[in-house]
């Protein structure tokens, strides 16, 4: 990856597909890696054309270089479950050189190292541990909801989605609660494209990441000298295969856990409000039967697909859906497309809270890299909606949702709402 | 026909009768046995159809395959007799099989 590509990445307008008709351009010109169509919420017709006409599609020219797009549910399953062919190294982002993804972490490692490191931290988000946290999470959700203004406009993203996920992350890290907004900032910085809101330059981003490293190194040093605790930092500091981790690798894993636990659930929290507002019949179903919440949570996660893709790199020459992929090629699994694949998912574009088999979606990925925090995410969303339904007749969207400038993080930066109390 | 007894972590029993040929996961899911999620639909790639199998019965099954081993190793509730039920094929030799489901699928 080169300086040129990064500069092109910061000057992306020439690559934009916004406002274009996906059916009025040659197939090979379609470039899903550009953030524009995702922010403008115009991506779905592009995904559909590729699913129908080029399910394994090669994009030769883009700001991030050439790459393959895998569009269909079953093909994505095949790539995701074949780590010997499709490697997660050196990175799972389309862009090779985004510094934060160059930091080593187990999401961008293959077995056996991946397995060793993941095992250390996954028990903190295993269901048995989460059961102990349920009361605390419910209390924190209740506090957030009870502090919201009723009948006047506010931003749901800032006041609920970010607040709740940040508090949860602080809980899992046993992070100083008063400093918890730093976590949000570091997460936003880690996935930001310089010049598009969060940071202006790569230097600014690097400074923020260094600040994150220093902060967590101090926490590590404090915990390593104490008895092992059940928070993530203590687990890393005391875990046999992680306690001698080099600083870059420690930071890589910390940022992975921050981004993994922050951006994703945050955007499913916002996405649920968007989906219910766009589908009033489903909102009525929910009001009439709150036992649908568990199923609805899976449907929200599918419908939103908070991470649009994961990238792999072919280790060997291979064939996928009749296309010859060469060793070294970038292969991008578009979960956002697989989750709309009508061959596997009935009425895939519909948001349907009592959908049969709602759990069978791609948002968590499959195989060894399947989302470690999936049960935590589901639990947070379930508790949130249980508590919302006890308080409010409707979370009404009163302005245009603003979406994030990213083809990776699929989410919202602003969501103006008004709360209507139960009558 | 093959009889399979599923026992939940709290002791609740569910007896099902199925044709040979399918998987133990399918036997549970198609008969409404709770405690098995099977998020990936049976392709050995999510570990949410985790069950515990009595040692005597383990001997009558194909052993754990490498992919199943990799997925099982990601489970925090892994035991020596853990299996993914989507990888156990129902055969006549398994008539009377008893499996226990864990409290949580992860």
């Amino acid at each position: 990856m080169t300086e040129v590509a990064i500069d092109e990445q910061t000057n992306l307008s020439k690559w934009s597909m916004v406002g274009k008709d996906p059916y009025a351009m040659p197939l090979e010109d379609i470039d899903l890696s550009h953030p524009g169509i995702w922010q403008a919420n115009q991506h779905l017709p592009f995904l559909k054309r590729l699913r129908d006409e080029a399910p394994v599609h090669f994009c030769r020219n883009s700001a991030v270089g050439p790459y393959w797009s895998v569009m269909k549910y079953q093909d994505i399953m095949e790539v995701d479950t074949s780590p010997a062919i499709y490697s997660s190294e050196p990175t799972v982002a389309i862009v090779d050189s985004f510094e934060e993804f160059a930091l080593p972490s187990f999401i961008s490692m293959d077995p056996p190292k991946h397995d060793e490191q993941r095992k250390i931290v996954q028990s903190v988000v295993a269901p048995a541990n989460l059961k102990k946290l349920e009361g605390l999470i419910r209390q924190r959700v209740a506090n957030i909801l009870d502090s919201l203004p009723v009948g006047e406009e506010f931003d749901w993203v800032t006041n609920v989605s970010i607040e709740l996920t940040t508090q949860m992350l602080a809980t899992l890290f046993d992070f100083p609660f008063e400093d918890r907004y730093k976590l949000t900032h570091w997460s936003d910085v880690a996935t930001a494209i310089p010049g598009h809101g969060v940071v202006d330059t790569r230097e600014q981003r690097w400074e923020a990441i260094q600040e994150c490293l220093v902060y967590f190194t101090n926490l590590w040093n404090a915990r390593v000298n104490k008895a092992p605790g059940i928070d993530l930092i203590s687990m890393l500091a005391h875990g046999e295969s992680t306690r001698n981790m080099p600083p870059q690798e420690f930071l890589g894993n910390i940022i992975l856990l921050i981004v993994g636990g922050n951006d994703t659930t945050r955007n499913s929290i916002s996405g649920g409000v968007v989906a219910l507002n766009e589908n009033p019949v489903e909102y009525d179903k929910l009001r009439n039967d709150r036992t649908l919440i568990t199923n609805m949570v899976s449907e929200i996660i599918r419908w939103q697909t908070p991470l649009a893709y994961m990238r792999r790199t072919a280790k060997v020459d291979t064939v996928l859906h009749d296309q010859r992929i060469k060793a070294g090629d970038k292969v991008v699994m578009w979960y956002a497309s697989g989750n709309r694949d009508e061959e596997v998912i009935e009425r895939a574009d519909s948001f349907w809270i009592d959908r049969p088999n709602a759990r069978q979606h791609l948002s968590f990925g499959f195989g060894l890299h399947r989302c470690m925090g999936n049960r935590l995410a589901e639990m947070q969303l379930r508790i949130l909606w249980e508590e919302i339904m006890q308080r409010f007749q409707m979370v009404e969207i009163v302005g245009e949702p603003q979406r994030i400038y990213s083809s990776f993080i699929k989410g919202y930066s602003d969501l103006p709402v008004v709360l209507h109390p139960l009558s | 026909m093959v009889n399979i007894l599923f026992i939940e972590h709290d002791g609740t029993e569910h007896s099902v009768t199925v044709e040979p040929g399918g998987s133990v996961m399918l036997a549970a899911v198609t008969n409404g046995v709770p405690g098995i999620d099977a998020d990936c639909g049976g392709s050995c790639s999510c570990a949410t159809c985790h069950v515990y199998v009595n040692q005597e019965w383990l001997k009558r099954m194909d052993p754990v395959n490498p992919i199943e081993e990799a997925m099982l190793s990601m489970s925090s509730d892994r035991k020596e007799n853990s299996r993914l039920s989507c990888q156990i094929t129902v055969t006549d030799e398994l008539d009377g099989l008893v499996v226990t489901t864990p409290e949580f699928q992860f």
Side-chain angles (χ1 to χ4, degrees), chain A residues 228-243:
Chain A
I230 58 157
D231 66 277
L232 280 163
I233 300 168
S234 181
M235 283 182 175
L236 288 170
H238 291 276
E240 202 172 309
S241 55
T242 51
R243 66 184 173 210

Side-chain angles (χ1 to χ4, degrees), chain A residues 200-235:
Chain A
D200 293 328
T201 63
R202 293 161 62 198
E203 290 69 30
Q204 270 185 15
R205 178 168 54 200
W206 190 243
E207 277 171 29
I209 287 172
Q210 288 304 310
E211 182 204 6
C212 177
L213 174 62
V214 170
Y215 200 107
F216 274 98
T217 304
N218 289 336
L219 289 180
W220 170 292
N221 289 340
R223 309 255 160 100
V224 79
N225 293 309
K226 285 188 189 162
I230 58 157
D231 66 277
L232 280 163
I233 300 168
S234 181
M235 283 182 175

Side-chain angles (χ1 to χ4, degrees), chain A residues 47-56 71-77 302 321 336-350 355-357 360-362:
Chain A
L47 302 183
K48 179 164 171 49
R49 185 173 182 211
L50 290 190
R51 270 198 311 276
D52 291 344
E53 300 178 34
V56 175
M71 308 304 294
K72 300 281 286 180
Y73 189 105
Q74 294 300 354
D75 293 333
I76 291 170
M77 281 289 271
R302 180 194 71 89
H321 211 124
S337 170
N339 274 339
R340 301 298 179 105
D341 184 350
E342 295 273 350
E343 266 183 43
V344 176
I345 296 169
E346 188 184 346
R347 287 166 46 200
D349 279 331
S350 302
R355 171 184 293 284
N357 301 318
Q360 289 182 21
H361 61 71
L362 293 168

Side-chain angles (χ1 to χ4, degrees), chain A residues 357 360, chain B residues 6 16 23-39 41 48-49 85:
Chain A
N357 301 318
Q360 289 182 21
Chain B
F6 293 90
V16 307
S23 71
V24 170
M25 178 276 282
L26 276 178
V29 170
T30 54
N31 286 284
V33 176
I36 291 181
D37 292 339
D39 290 359
T48 63
C49 66
S85 55

